Amino acid sequence: MATRVFGDPEPFIQRKAATGRLVIPTLIVTTVSVAMSLQAAAVFLTLGPAVSEVINAVILLGGYYFLEGFLLWLAFSFALYVLALVAGGHPLFGHITRIVGWGMAPLVGTGLVWTAGRYYALRDATPPELAINSRIEHETNGLAEFMSHAAGEPAFIAAMVVGGLFLVVSGYLWTLGLTKAGELSKARAAVVSAIPLLVFFGWRFLNSAV
């Protein structure tokens, strides 16, 4: 199946991904969520013994990262559907949802690369100093301050850029699917696909503490 998706993606995305069931796209998005949630594991490891002071915030962070894959699936699907309509296409939301789910497969690489970058950027950062059993607001603020140390770190910036390249692959797969499912030219489909990905990447790049 992977050979068909990446070896000859256009007919696969346009036929099976546009008309198939949601089982495999759901599994793909679940895998993306797991890969994204590994960033919380990286933060856990870099905190060392100090993790006990912000453990509740770290657990919440892991939950957020895990849900992120599913939230992105919904947000990307809605964005592509609306943008395809604005671009003059005639999409069906169900088709768009399947295309987005299949096309999110490269985001597994994004999550893994960003996890590595976050770990190397934070491995020497100073952990927050909070009392054990401190209020969740204090834990969250302390963890955010700790994670902000990644900003400007070469390892983190490099990981963000490399991880962004996987987003380009997703955009390419969506473009192929939208040309048929959205009845758009490839040029318009490419623009439609690029907009939500650029917004997501820009938001993540500018918010190192998330």
Side-chain angles (χ1 to χ4, degrees):
M1 182 175 294
T3 302
R4 284 179 288 167
V5 175
F6 296 104
D8 192 15
E10 186 164 4
F12 184 90
I13 291 294
Q14 291 185 346
R15 290 198 305 267
K16 186 174 179 62
T19 59
R21 299 167 62 186
L22 285 173
V23 176
I24 295 182
T26 300
L27 292 175
I28 290 173
V29 174
T30 301
T31 305
V32 171
S33 292
V34 172
M36 289 294 185
S37 66
L38 290 177
Q39 294 177 83
V43 173
F44 180 94
L45 292 174
T46 54
L47 281 166
V51 72
S52 60
E53 300 176 6
V54 290
I55 188 61
N56 294 313
V58 172
I59 292 173
L60 288 176
L61 180 68
Y64 165 77
Y65 279 138
F66 183 78
L67 289 175
E68 185 175 35
F70 294 95
L71 294 175
L72 287 175
W73 189 14
L74 179 61
F76 285 150
S77 297
F78 181 76
L80 291 186
Y81 176 75
V82 172
L83 290 171
L85 287 174
V86 172
H90 302 85
L92 293 175
F93 187 73
H95 287 186
I96 299 299
T97 300
R98 285 187 284 273
I99 289 168
V100 171
W102 278 97
M104 283 180 64
L107 269 69
V108 173
T110 299
L112 295 176
V113 172
W114 285 358
T115 294
R118 196 174 292 278
Y119 174 80
Y120 281 103
L122 294 176
R123 69 190 189 284
D124 295 323
T126 303
E129 295 182 3
L130 299 175
I132 297 178
N133 297 323
S134 61
R135 296 177 62 183
I136 188 62
E137 305 95 283
H138 296 158
E139 289 190 30
T140 302
N141 292 336
L143 183 62
E145 181 181 353
F146 173 73
M147 292 177 65
S148 68
H149 291 154
E153 288 291 329
F156 183 72
I157 294 174
M160 289 297 295
V161 173
V162 174
L165 296 178
F166 289 97
L167 299 181
V168 174
V169 179
S170 285
Y172 172 69
L173 295 175
W174 293 349
T175 298
L176 298 179
L178 282 172
T179 56
K180 183 173 182 179
E183 298 181 21
L184 294 169
S185 67
K186 281 194 176 180
R188 291 193 177 189
V191 173
V192 167
S193 299
I195 291 174
L197 288 173
L198 286 173
V199 171
F200 170 63
F201 179 77
W203 177 78
R204 266 308 195 91
F205 191 83
L206 296 175
N207 290 272
S208 303
V210 178

